[in-house]
Amino acid sequence: MECPHCGYLLTLPSCSNCGGEIPLNSRYCCWCGQPLPKEEEEDFSERRLCSDGTCIGVINEMGVCNICGKPYTGEPI
């Protein structure tokens, strides 16, 4: 598949059943209908929200908010 903006040739995954190119984020092969393996879904139950109640960020591995950069000080108020 060619990028419509820059003309760069994009590589797409191929179906293990028929070998056809599969659009990104597809659940089924558009050529043969074969269900595709699911990507691992992220577990959002373990996220910690930013301590600043007005911020929409989450705390990253370094203990600071990924949006505003404030350190985690406890649950939002």
Side-chain angles (χ1 to χ4, degrees):
M1 177 177 175
E2 187 174 298
C3 175
H5 300 288
C6 68
Y8 182 77
L9 192 59
L10 302 170
T11 57
L12 295 175
S14 59
C15 175
S16 60
N17 188 47
C18 71
E21 288 184 336
I22 303 167
L24 298 177
N25 300 325
S26 183
R27 292 185 178 187
Y28 297 92
C29 175
C30 57
W31 302 104
C32 69
Q34 173 81 11
L36 302 173
K38 291 183 180 179
E39 294 180 15
E40 291 184 28
E41 294 182 12
E42 192 172 344
D43 181 18
F44 292 117
S45 65
E46 299 297 318
R47 301 186 297 179
R48 286 185 294 166
L49 300 177
C50 179
S51 301
D52 183 341
T54 62
C55 180
I56 60 170
V58 293
I59 304 302
N60 63 21
E61 325 53 67
M62 296 179 288
V64 296
C65 176
N66 66 341
I67 301 291
C68 69
K70 293 180 181 177
Y72 183 70
T73 59
E75 292 297 315
I77 298 173

Short mmCIF file of all heavy atoms in Angstrom, two decimals:
data_model
loop_
_atom_site.label_atom_id
_atom_site.label_comp_id
_atom_site.label_asym_id
_atom_site.label_seq_id
_atom_site.Cartn_x
_atom_site.Cartn_y
_atom_site.Cartn_z
N MET A 1 0.85 -1.18 0.00
CA MET A 1 0.00 0.00 0.00
C MET A 1 0.89 1.24 0.00
O MET A 1 1.88 1.30 0.71
CB MET A 1 -0.90 -0.02 1.24
CG MET A 1 -1.76 1.17 1.38
SD MET A 1 -2.82 0.98 2.84
CE MET A 1 -3.58 2.57 2.82
N GLU A 2 0.51 2.23 -0.77
CA GLU A 2 1.28 3.45 -0.89
C GLU A 2 0.62 4.57 -0.08
O GLU A 2 -0.60 4.73 -0.11
CB GLU A 2 1.36 3.86 -2.36
CG GLU A 2 2.29 5.02 -2.60
CD GLU A 2 2.44 5.29 -4.08
OE1 GLU A 2 2.93 4.41 -4.80
OE2 GLU A 2 2.04 6.39 -4.51
N CYS A 3 1.43 5.32 0.68
CA CYS A 3 0.92 6.46 1.46
C CYS A 3 0.39 7.51 0.49
O CYS A 3 1.11 7.92 -0.43
CB CYS A 3 2.02 7.03 2.34
SG CYS A 3 1.50 8.53 3.22
N PRO A 4 -0.85 7.98 0.69
CA PRO A 4 -1.41 8.97 -0.23
C PRO A 4 -0.77 10.35 -0.09
O PRO A 4 -0.89 11.17 -0.98
CB PRO A 4 -2.89 9.02 0.16
CG PRO A 4 -2.95 8.54 1.56
CD PRO A 4 -1.81 7.56 1.70
N HIS A 5 -0.04 10.60 0.99
CA HIS A 5 0.56 11.91 1.22
C HIS A 5 2.00 12.00 0.72
O HIS A 5 2.36 12.97 0.07
CB HIS A 5 0.51 12.27 2.70
CG HIS A 5 -0.87 12.32 3.25
ND1 HIS A 5 -1.76 13.33 2.95
CD2 HIS A 5 -1.55 11.47 4.04
CE1 HIS A 5 -2.92 13.11 3.54
NE2 HIS A 5 -2.82 11.97 4.22
N CYS A 6 2.81 10.97 1.01
CA CYS A 6 4.24 11.06 0.66
C CYS A 6 4.67 10.04 -0.38
O CYS A 6 5.78 10.12 -0.90
CB CYS A 6 5.10 10.91 1.91
SG CYS A 6 5.05 9.27 2.64
N GLY A 7 3.81 9.06 -0.70
CA GLY A 7 4.16 8.07 -1.69
C GLY A 7 5.02 6.93 -1.17
O GLY A 7 5.38 6.03 -1.92
N TYR A 8 5.33 6.93 0.14
CA TYR A 8 6.15 5.88 0.73
C TYR A 8 5.38 4.56 0.71
O TYR A 8 4.18 4.53 0.96
CB TYR A 8 6.51 6.26 2.17
CG TYR A 8 7.40 5.28 2.88
CD1 TYR A 8 8.75 5.23 2.60
CD2 TYR A 8 6.89 4.41 3.82
CE1 TYR A 8 9.58 4.34 3.25
CE2 TYR A 8 7.70 3.50 4.48
CZ TYR A 8 9.05 3.48 4.19
OH TYR A 8 9.87 2.57 4.83
N LEU A 9 6.05 3.47 0.38
CA LEU A 9 5.42 2.17 0.33
C LEU A 9 5.28 1.62 1.75
O LEU A 9 6.27 1.36 2.43
CB LEU A 9 6.23 1.22 -0.54
CG LEU A 9 5.56 -0.07 -0.92
CD1 LEU A 9 4.26 0.20 -1.69
CD2 LEU A 9 6.49 -0.91 -1.78
N LEU A 10 4.05 1.44 2.22
CA LEU A 10 3.77 0.95 3.56
C LEU A 10 3.65 -0.56 3.53
O LEU A 10 3.05 -1.12 2.62
CB LEU A 10 2.48 1.55 4.09
CG LEU A 10 2.41 3.06 4.15
CD1 LEU A 10 0.99 3.51 4.47
CD2 LEU A 10 3.37 3.59 5.18
N THR A 11 4.21 -1.21 4.53
CA THR A 11 4.05 -2.66 4.62
C THR A 11 2.89 -2.95 5.57
O THR A 11 2.81 -2.39 6.66
CB THR A 11 5.33 -3.34 5.13
OG1 THR A 11 5.67 -2.78 6.39
CG2 THR A 11 6.47 -3.13 4.16
N LEU A 12 2.00 -3.81 5.14
CA LEU A 12 0.86 -4.21 5.95
C LEU A 12 1.02 -5.67 6.34
O LEU A 12 1.62 -6.45 5.61
CB LEU A 12 -0.45 -4.02 5.18
CG LEU A 12 -0.82 -2.59 4.81
CD1 LEU A 12 -2.06 -2.57 3.93
CD2 LEU A 12 -1.05 -1.77 6.06
N PRO A 13 0.47 -6.05 7.48
CA PRO A 13 0.53 -7.47 7.85
C PRO A 13 -0.27 -8.30 6.84
O PRO A 13 -1.19 -7.80 6.21
CB PRO A 13 -0.09 -7.51 9.24
CG PRO A 13 -0.85 -6.24 9.39
CD PRO A 13 -0.24 -5.25 8.46
N SER A 14 0.11 -9.57 6.71
CA SER A 14 -0.62 -10.43 5.79
C SER A 14 -1.35 -11.52 6.56
O SER A 14 -0.92 -11.94 7.63
CB SER A 14 0.32 -11.04 4.75
OG SER A 14 1.32 -11.78 5.39
N CYS A 15 -2.44 -11.99 5.98
CA CYS A 15 -3.28 -13.02 6.58
C CYS A 15 -2.55 -14.36 6.52
O CYS A 15 -2.00 -14.73 5.48
CB CYS A 15 -4.60 -13.11 5.84
SG CYS A 15 -5.67 -14.45 6.39
N SER A 16 -2.54 -15.10 7.61
CA SER A 16 -1.88 -16.40 7.64
C SER A 16 -2.68 -17.45 6.87
O SER A 16 -2.16 -18.48 6.50
CB SER A 16 -1.68 -16.87 9.08
OG SER A 16 -2.92 -16.98 9.74
N ASN A 17 -3.96 -17.15 6.61
CA ASN A 17 -4.80 -18.10 5.90
C ASN A 17 -4.70 -17.94 4.37
O ASN A 17 -4.46 -18.91 3.66
CB ASN A 17 -6.26 -17.93 6.35
CG ASN A 17 -7.17 -19.01 5.81
OD1 ASN A 17 -6.86 -20.18 5.87
ND2 ASN A 17 -8.30 -18.58 5.28
N CYS A 18 -4.85 -16.71 3.86
CA CYS A 18 -4.87 -16.50 2.42
C CYS A 18 -3.70 -15.69 1.89
O CYS A 18 -3.49 -15.61 0.69
CB CYS A 18 -6.18 -15.84 2.00
SG CYS A 18 -6.33 -14.11 2.50
N GLY A 19 -2.95 -15.03 2.78
CA GLY A 19 -1.80 -14.22 2.36
C GLY A 19 -2.15 -12.81 1.94
O GLY A 19 -1.28 -12.05 1.55
N GLY A 20 -3.43 -12.43 1.98
CA GLY A 20 -3.84 -11.08 1.59
C GLY A 20 -3.39 -10.03 2.60
O GLY A 20 -3.20 -10.32 3.78
N GLU A 21 -3.19 -8.79 2.13
CA GLU A 21 -2.81 -7.69 3.01
C GLU A 21 -4.00 -7.30 3.88
O GLU A 21 -5.12 -7.20 3.40
CB GLU A 21 -2.34 -6.49 2.21
CG GLU A 21 -0.99 -6.67 1.58
CD GLU A 21 -0.51 -5.42 0.89
OE1 GLU A 21 -1.34 -4.57 0.50
OE2 GLU A 21 0.71 -5.29 0.72
N ILE A 22 -3.72 -7.07 5.16
CA ILE A 22 -4.77 -6.77 6.12
C ILE A 22 -4.64 -5.31 6.56
O ILE A 22 -3.57 -4.88 6.96
CB ILE A 22 -4.63 -7.67 7.36
CG1 ILE A 22 -4.68 -9.14 6.94
CG2 ILE A 22 -5.70 -7.35 8.37
CD1 ILE A 22 -4.25 -10.07 8.04
N PRO A 23 -5.72 -4.53 6.48
CA PRO A 23 -5.68 -3.16 7.00
C PRO A 23 -5.35 -3.16 8.49
O PRO A 23 -5.70 -4.10 9.21
CB PRO A 23 -7.09 -2.63 6.76
CG PRO A 23 -7.69 -3.53 5.75
CD PRO A 23 -7.02 -4.86 5.93
N LEU A 24 -4.66 -2.14 8.94
CA LEU A 24 -4.30 -2.03 10.35
C LEU A 24 -5.55 -1.97 11.22
O LEU A 24 -6.58 -1.43 10.82
CB LEU A 24 -3.44 -0.80 10.58
CG LEU A 24 -2.11 -0.79 9.83
CD1 LEU A 24 -1.39 0.52 10.07
CD2 LEU A 24 -1.25 -1.96 10.22
N ASN A 25 -5.47 -2.54 12.42
CA ASN A 25 -6.55 -2.56 13.42
C ASN A 25 -7.79 -3.33 12.96
O ASN A 25 -8.88 -3.08 13.43
CB ASN A 25 -6.95 -1.14 13.84
CG ASN A 25 -5.81 -0.39 14.45
OD1 ASN A 25 -4.98 -0.96 15.14
ND2 ASN A 25 -5.72 0.90 14.18
N SER A 26 -7.62 -4.25 12.03
CA SER A 26 -8.75 -5.05 11.55
C SER A 26 -8.90 -6.29 12.41
O SER A 26 -7.93 -6.86 12.87
CB SER A 26 -8.52 -5.44 10.09
OG SER A 26 -9.61 -6.15 9.59
N ARG A 27 -10.13 -6.73 12.63
CA ARG A 27 -10.38 -7.94 13.42
C ARG A 27 -10.53 -9.18 12.54
O ARG A 27 -10.41 -10.28 13.02
CB ARG A 27 -11.64 -7.76 14.26
CG ARG A 27 -11.47 -6.73 15.34
CD ARG A 27 -12.68 -6.68 16.20
NE ARG A 27 -12.47 -5.71 17.26
CZ ARG A 27 -13.30 -5.53 18.25
NH1 ARG A 27 -14.39 -6.24 18.32
NH2 ARG A 27 -13.04 -4.64 19.17
N TYR A 28 -10.82 -8.96 11.25
CA TYR A 28 -11.00 -10.06 10.31
C TYR A 28 -10.25 -9.73 9.02
O TYR A 28 -10.11 -8.57 8.65
CB TYR A 28 -12.48 -10.27 9.98
CG TYR A 28 -13.31 -10.66 11.17
CD1 TYR A 28 -13.94 -9.71 11.95
CD2 TYR A 28 -13.44 -12.00 11.52
CE1 TYR A 28 -14.69 -10.08 13.06
CE2 TYR A 28 -14.19 -12.37 12.62
CZ TYR A 28 -14.81 -11.40 13.38
OH TYR A 28 -15.55 -11.78 14.47
N CYS A 29 -9.82 -10.77 8.32
CA CYS A 29 -9.20 -10.58 7.01
C CYS A 29 -10.29 -10.12 6.05
O CYS A 29 -11.35 -10.72 5.97
CB CYS A 29 -8.57 -11.88 6.53
SG CYS A 29 -7.91 -11.77 4.85
N CYS A 30 -10.03 -9.05 5.30
CA CYS A 30 -11.04 -8.54 4.37
C CYS A 30 -11.11 -9.37 3.09
O CYS A 30 -11.99 -9.16 2.27
CB CYS A 30 -10.79 -7.07 4.05
SG CYS A 30 -9.18 -6.73 3.37
N TRP A 31 -10.19 -10.33 2.92
CA TRP A 31 -10.19 -11.17 1.72
C TRP A 31 -10.89 -12.51 1.96
O TRP A 31 -11.66 -12.96 1.13
CB TRP A 31 -8.76 -11.40 1.24
CG TRP A 31 -8.06 -10.12 0.95
CD1 TRP A 31 -7.12 -9.52 1.73
CD2 TRP A 31 -8.28 -9.25 -0.15
NE1 TRP A 31 -6.73 -8.32 1.18
CE2 TRP A 31 -7.43 -8.13 0.02
CE3 TRP A 31 -9.10 -9.29 -1.25
CZ2 TRP A 31 -7.38 -7.09 -0.88
CZ3 TRP A 31 -9.05 -8.24 -2.16
CH2 TRP A 31 -8.21 -7.16 -1.97
N CYS A 32 -10.60 -13.16 3.09
CA CYS A 32 -11.16 -14.49 3.31
C CYS A 32 -12.07 -14.57 4.54
O CYS A 32 -12.72 -15.58 4.77
CB CYS A 32 -10.05 -15.53 3.42
SG CYS A 32 -9.04 -15.39 4.92
N GLY A 33 -12.11 -13.51 5.37
CA GLY A 33 -12.97 -13.49 6.54
C GLY A 33 -12.40 -14.18 7.76
O GLY A 33 -13.07 -14.30 8.79
N GLN A 34 -11.15 -14.63 7.68
CA GLN A 34 -10.49 -15.32 8.79
C GLN A 34 -10.37 -14.38 9.99
O GLN A 34 -9.88 -13.26 9.85
CB GLN A 34 -9.10 -15.78 8.35
CG GLN A 34 -8.23 -16.35 9.43
CD GLN A 34 -8.56 -17.81 9.71
OE1 GLN A 34 -9.29 -18.44 8.99
NE2 GLN A 34 -8.03 -18.30 10.78
N PRO A 35 -10.83 -14.79 11.21
CA PRO A 35 -10.61 -13.96 12.39
C PRO A 35 -9.10 -13.83 12.65
O PRO A 35 -8.35 -14.78 12.48
CB PRO A 35 -11.27 -14.73 13.53
CG PRO A 35 -12.15 -15.73 12.87
CD PRO A 35 -11.58 -16.00 11.51
N LEU A 36 -8.68 -12.64 13.01
CA LEU A 36 -7.26 -12.38 13.26
C LEU A 36 -6.97 -12.44 14.75
O LEU A 36 -7.85 -12.18 15.57
CB LEU A 36 -6.89 -11.01 12.71
CG LEU A 36 -7.15 -10.84 11.21
CD1 LEU A 36 -6.90 -9.40 10.81
CD2 LEU A 36 -6.29 -11.79 10.41
N PRO A 37 -5.74 -12.81 15.12
CA PRO A 37 -5.41 -12.86 16.55
C PRO A 37 -5.57 -11.48 17.17
O PRO A 37 -5.21 -10.47 16.57
CB PRO A 37 -3.96 -13.32 16.59
CG PRO A 37 -3.49 -13.40 15.19
CD PRO A 37 -4.64 -13.15 14.28
N LYS A 38 -6.14 -11.46 18.37
CA LYS A 38 -6.33 -10.19 19.09
C LYS A 38 -5.01 -9.71 19.65
O LYS A 38 -4.20 -10.49 20.13
CB LYS A 38 -7.32 -10.37 20.24
CG LYS A 38 -8.72 -10.61 19.81
CD LYS A 38 -9.63 -10.69 21.02
CE LYS A 38 -11.06 -10.94 20.62
NZ LYS A 38 -11.92 -11.04 21.79
N GLU A 39 -4.82 -8.38 19.59
CA GLU A 39 -3.67 -7.78 20.26
C GLU A 39 -4.00 -7.72 21.74
O GLU A 39 -5.15 -7.65 22.14
CB GLU A 39 -3.42 -6.38 19.73
CG GLU A 39 -2.99 -6.36 18.29
CD GLU A 39 -2.74 -4.95 17.80
OE1 GLU A 39 -2.62 -4.02 18.64
OE2 GLU A 39 -2.68 -4.77 16.59
N GLU A 40 -2.97 -7.75 22.55
CA GLU A 40 -3.19 -7.68 24.00
C GLU A 40 -3.80 -6.34 24.35
O GLU A 40 -3.31 -5.30 23.94
CB GLU A 40 -1.88 -7.87 24.75
CG GLU A 40 -1.32 -9.26 24.66
CD GLU A 40 -0.08 -9.42 25.49
OE1 GLU A 40 0.06 -8.71 26.51
OE2 GLU A 40 0.75 -10.24 25.11
N GLU A 41 -4.90 -6.39 25.08
CA GLU A 41 -5.57 -5.16 25.49
C GLU A 41 -4.94 -4.64 26.77
O GLU A 41 -4.57 -5.41 27.64
CB GLU A 41 -7.06 -5.40 25.68
CG GLU A 41 -7.76 -5.76 24.39
CD GLU A 41 -9.25 -5.95 24.58
OE1 GLU A 41 -9.77 -5.58 25.66
OE2 GLU A 41 -9.88 -6.44 23.65
N GLU A 42 -4.81 -3.34 26.85
CA GLU A 42 -4.21 -2.72 28.02
C GLU A 42 -5.17 -2.79 29.20
O GLU A 42 -6.36 -2.56 29.06
CB GLU A 42 -3.87 -1.26 27.70
CG GLU A 42 -3.00 -0.62 28.73
CD GLU A 42 -2.53 0.75 28.30
OE1 GLU A 42 -2.62 1.09 27.13
OE2 GLU A 42 -2.08 1.50 29.18
N ASP A 43 -4.64 -3.11 30.39
CA ASP A 43 -5.45 -3.20 31.60
C ASP A 43 -5.49 -1.83 32.27
O ASP A 43 -4.49 -1.38 32.83
CB ASP A 43 -4.86 -4.25 32.55
CG ASP A 43 -5.67 -4.40 33.82
OD1 ASP A 43 -6.84 -3.97 33.84
OD2 ASP A 43 -5.14 -4.96 34.79
N PHE A 44 -6.63 -1.17 32.18
CA PHE A 44 -6.76 0.18 32.73
C PHE A 44 -7.12 0.17 34.22
O PHE A 44 -7.15 1.21 34.85
CB PHE A 44 -7.82 0.97 31.96
CG PHE A 44 -7.40 1.28 30.56
CD1 PHE A 44 -8.12 0.78 29.48
CD2 PHE A 44 -6.31 2.08 30.30
CE1 PHE A 44 -7.74 1.06 28.19
CE2 PHE A 44 -5.93 2.37 29.01
CZ PHE A 44 -6.64 1.85 27.95
N SER A 45 -7.38 -0.98 34.81
CA SER A 45 -7.79 -1.04 36.20
C SER A 45 -6.66 -0.68 37.16
O SER A 45 -6.90 -0.31 38.30
CB SER A 45 -8.34 -2.42 36.55
OG SER A 45 -7.32 -3.40 36.45
N GLU A 46 -5.43 -0.77 36.70
CA GLU A 46 -4.28 -0.47 37.56
C GLU A 46 -3.76 0.96 37.41
O GLU A 46 -2.77 1.32 38.03
CB GLU A 46 -3.13 -1.45 37.25
CG GLU A 46 -3.49 -2.90 37.51
CD GLU A 46 -3.80 -3.18 38.97
OE1 GLU A 46 -3.08 -2.66 39.84
OE2 GLU A 46 -4.77 -3.91 39.23
N ARG A 47 -4.41 1.79 36.59
CA ARG A 47 -3.94 3.17 36.40
C ARG A 47 -4.15 4.01 37.65
O ARG A 47 -5.10 3.80 38.39
CB ARG A 47 -4.71 3.89 35.28
CG ARG A 47 -4.66 3.29 33.98
CD ARG A 47 -5.33 4.18 32.97
NE ARG A 47 -6.75 4.36 33.28
CZ ARG A 47 -7.58 5.09 32.59
NH1 ARG A 47 -7.15 5.73 31.54
NH2 ARG A 47 -8.84 5.20 32.92
N ARG A 48 -3.27 4.95 37.86
CA ARG A 48 -3.45 5.95 38.92
C ARG A 48 -3.64 7.29 38.24
O ARG A 48 -2.80 7.72 37.45
CB ARG A 48 -2.23 6.00 39.84
CG ARG A 48 -2.15 4.80 40.76
CD ARG A 48 -1.03 4.94 41.73
NE ARG A 48 0.23 4.90 40.98
CZ ARG A 48 1.40 5.26 41.46
NH1 ARG A 48 1.51 5.67 42.70
NH2 ARG A 48 2.49 5.19 40.72
N LEU A 49 -4.74 7.95 38.55
CA LEU A 49 -5.02 9.25 37.96
C LEU A 49 -4.17 10.32 38.63
O LEU A 49 -3.73 10.17 39.77
CB LEU A 49 -6.50 9.59 38.11
CG LEU A 49 -7.47 8.63 37.44
CD1 LEU A 49 -8.90 9.05 37.73
CD2 LEU A 49 -7.22 8.54 35.95
N CYS A 50 -3.96 11.42 37.91
CA CYS A 50 -3.19 12.55 38.44
C CYS A 50 -3.84 13.06 39.72
O CYS A 50 -5.06 13.10 39.85
CB CYS A 50 -3.13 13.65 37.39
SG CYS A 50 -2.21 15.11 37.93
N SER A 51 -3.00 13.45 40.69
CA SER A 51 -3.50 13.97 41.97
C SER A 51 -4.23 15.30 41.81
O SER A 51 -5.07 15.64 42.63
CB SER A 51 -2.33 14.16 42.93
OG SER A 51 -1.67 12.93 43.13
N ASP A 52 -3.90 16.05 40.75
CA ASP A 52 -4.57 17.32 40.49
C ASP A 52 -5.94 16.99 39.89
O ASP A 52 -6.04 16.46 38.80
CB ASP A 52 -3.75 18.15 39.51
CG ASP A 52 -4.34 19.51 39.23
OD1 ASP A 52 -5.53 19.73 39.49
OD2 ASP A 52 -3.58 20.38 38.75
N GLY A 53 -6.99 17.28 40.59
CA GLY A 53 -8.35 16.94 40.17
C GLY A 53 -8.79 17.57 38.87
O GLY A 53 -9.78 17.15 38.28
N THR A 54 -8.08 18.59 38.39
CA THR A 54 -8.47 19.24 37.14
C THR A 54 -7.70 18.70 35.94
O THR A 54 -7.98 19.06 34.81
CB THR A 54 -8.25 20.75 37.22
OG1 THR A 54 -6.86 21.01 37.43
CG2 THR A 54 -9.05 21.37 38.35
N CYS A 55 -6.72 17.82 36.18
CA CYS A 55 -5.89 17.27 35.11
C CYS A 55 -6.45 15.91 34.67
O CYS A 55 -6.97 15.15 35.46
CB CYS A 55 -4.45 17.11 35.61
SG CYS A 55 -3.33 16.44 34.36
N ILE A 56 -6.30 15.59 33.39
CA ILE A 56 -6.81 14.33 32.86
C ILE A 56 -5.71 13.28 32.71
O ILE A 56 -5.96 12.19 32.20
CB ILE A 56 -7.49 14.54 31.50
CG1 ILE A 56 -6.50 15.11 30.48
CG2 ILE A 56 -8.72 15.41 31.65
CD1 ILE A 56 -7.01 15.13 29.07
N GLY A 57 -4.52 13.56 33.17
CA GLY A 57 -3.39 12.66 33.00
C GLY A 57 -3.40 11.47 33.95
O GLY A 57 -4.20 11.38 34.87
N VAL A 58 -2.48 10.54 33.69
CA VAL A 58 -2.26 9.39 34.55
C VAL A 58 -0.80 9.37 34.98
O VAL A 58 0.07 9.92 34.32
CB VAL A 58 -2.63 8.06 33.86
CG1 VAL A 58 -4.11 7.97 33.60
CG2 VAL A 58 -1.85 7.86 32.59
N ILE A 59 -0.54 8.72 36.10
CA ILE A 59 0.81 8.66 36.65
C ILE A 59 1.62 7.62 35.89
O ILE A 59 1.19 6.48 35.71
CB ILE A 59 0.76 8.33 38.16
CG1 ILE A 59 -0.11 9.34 38.90
CG2 ILE A 59 2.15 8.25 38.75
CD1 ILE A 59 0.34 10.79 38.77
N ASN A 60 2.81 8.01 35.43
CA ASN A 60 3.65 7.10 34.66
C ASN A 60 4.59 6.31 35.57
O ASN A 60 4.50 6.40 36.80
CB ASN A 60 4.42 7.85 33.57
CG ASN A 60 5.38 8.88 34.13
OD1 ASN A 60 5.78 8.83 35.28
ND2 ASN A 60 5.75 9.83 33.30
N GLU A 61 5.50 5.54 34.97
CA GLU A 61 6.42 4.69 35.74
C GLU A 61 7.36 5.48 36.64
O GLU A 61 7.90 4.96 37.61
CB GLU A 61 7.32 3.85 34.86
CG GLU A 61 6.98 3.26 33.57
CD GLU A 61 6.42 4.11 32.47
OE1 GLU A 61 7.11 4.98 31.94
OE2 GLU A 61 5.28 3.86 32.12
N MET A 62 7.59 6.75 36.31
CA MET A 62 8.49 7.59 37.10
C MET A 62 7.78 8.28 38.26
O MET A 62 8.40 9.03 39.00
CB MET A 62 9.16 8.62 36.20
CG MET A 62 10.07 7.96 35.16
SD MET A 62 10.86 9.14 34.06
CE MET A 62 9.47 9.66 33.07
N GLY A 63 6.46 8.06 38.40
CA GLY A 63 5.71 8.64 39.51
C GLY A 63 5.21 10.05 39.28
O GLY A 63 4.82 10.72 40.22
N VAL A 64 5.23 10.50 38.03
CA VAL A 64 4.73 11.85 37.72
C VAL A 64 3.64 11.74 36.66
O VAL A 64 3.55 10.76 35.92
CB VAL A 64 5.85 12.79 37.22
CG1 VAL A 64 6.89 13.01 38.31
CG2 VAL A 64 6.50 12.27 35.96
N CYS A 65 2.82 12.77 36.57
CA CYS A 65 1.72 12.80 35.60
C CYS A 65 2.27 12.92 34.18
O CYS A 65 3.18 13.70 33.92
CB CYS A 65 0.81 13.99 35.91
SG CYS A 65 -0.53 14.20 34.72
N ASN A 66 1.68 12.16 33.26
CA ASN A 66 2.14 12.22 31.88
C ASN A 66 1.66 13.46 31.13
O ASN A 66 2.11 13.73 30.04
CB ASN A 66 1.73 10.95 31.12
CG ASN A 66 0.23 10.83 30.95
OD1 ASN A 66 -0.55 11.46 31.65
ND2 ASN A 66 -0.19 10.00 30.02
N ILE A 67 0.76 14.24 31.72
CA ILE A 67 0.26 15.46 31.10
C ILE A 67 0.88 16.71 31.72
O ILE A 67 1.51 17.50 31.04
CB ILE A 67 -1.29 15.55 31.19
CG1 ILE A 67 -1.96 14.36 30.52
CG2 ILE A 67 -1.81 16.86 30.60
CD1 ILE A 67 -1.83 14.29 29.02
N CYS A 68 0.70 16.88 33.03
CA CYS A 68 1.16 18.12 33.67
C CYS A 68 2.52 17.99 34.35
O CYS A 68 3.13 18.99 34.71
CB CYS A 68 0.12 18.63 34.66
SG CYS A 68 -0.08 17.59 36.14
N GLY A 69 3.00 16.77 34.58
CA GLY A 69 4.32 16.56 35.16
C GLY A 69 4.38 16.63 36.68
O GLY A 69 5.45 16.49 37.26
N LYS A 70 3.23 16.81 37.34
CA LYS A 70 3.24 16.88 38.81
C LYS A 70 3.46 15.49 39.39
O LYS A 70 2.96 14.51 38.86
CB LYS A 70 1.91 17.45 39.32
CG LYS A 70 1.70 18.90 38.96
CD LYS A 70 0.37 19.38 39.51
CE LYS A 70 0.15 20.84 39.12
NZ LYS A 70 -1.16 21.33 39.56
N PRO A 71 4.17 15.41 40.52
CA PRO A 71 4.37 14.11 41.17
C PRO A 71 3.08 13.63 41.82
O PRO A 71 2.22 14.41 42.20
CB PRO A 71 5.45 14.38 42.22
CG PRO A 71 5.36 15.84 42.49
CD PRO A 71 4.88 16.48 41.22
N TYR A 72 2.95 12.33 41.95
CA TYR A 72 1.77 11.73 42.58
C TYR A 72 1.79 11.98 44.08
O TYR A 72 2.76 11.69 44.76
CB TYR A 72 1.75 10.22 42.31
CG TYR A 72 0.53 9.52 42.85
CD1 TYR A 72 -0.70 9.74 42.29
CD2 TYR A 72 0.64 8.66 43.93
CE1 TYR A 72 -1.83 9.08 42.77
CE2 TYR A 72 -0.47 8.00 44.42
CZ TYR A 72 -1.71 8.22 43.85
OH TYR A 72 -2.81 7.58 44.32
N THR A 73 0.70 12.57 44.61
CA THR A 73 0.60 12.86 46.04
C THR A 73 -0.59 12.19 46.69
O THR A 73 -0.91 12.48 47.83
CB THR A 73 0.51 14.39 46.27
OG1 THR A 73 -0.62 14.89 45.59
CG2 THR A 73 1.76 15.10 45.80
N GLY A 74 -1.26 11.33 45.98
CA GLY A 74 -2.43 10.65 46.51
C GLY A 74 -3.59 10.76 45.55
O GLY A 74 -3.50 11.34 44.49
N GLU A 75 -4.69 10.17 45.96
CA GLU A 75 -5.88 10.18 45.11
C GLU A 75 -6.39 11.60 44.87
O GLU A 75 -6.28 12.45 45.75
CB GLU A 75 -7.00 9.34 45.78
CG GLU A 75 -6.70 7.87 45.83
CD GLU A 75 -6.57 7.26 44.45
OE1 GLU A 75 -7.40 7.54 43.57
OE2 GLU A 75 -5.62 6.48 44.26
N PRO A 76 -6.96 11.86 43.67
CA PRO A 76 -7.48 13.19 43.39
C PRO A 76 -8.62 13.56 44.33
O PRO A 76 -9.35 12.70 44.79
CB PRO A 76 -7.99 13.11 41.95
CG PRO A 76 -7.79 11.73 41.49
CD PRO A 76 -7.13 10.96 42.57
N ILE A 77 -8.73 14.84 44.61
CA ILE A 77 -9.76 15.32 45.52
C ILE A 77 -11.00 15.67 44.75
O ILE A 77 -11.01 16.21 43.74
CB ILE A 77 -9.25 16.55 46.31
CG1 ILE A 77 -8.07 16.13 47.14
CG2 ILE A 77 -10.34 17.11 47.17
CD1 ILE A 77 -7.37 17.27 47.83
#
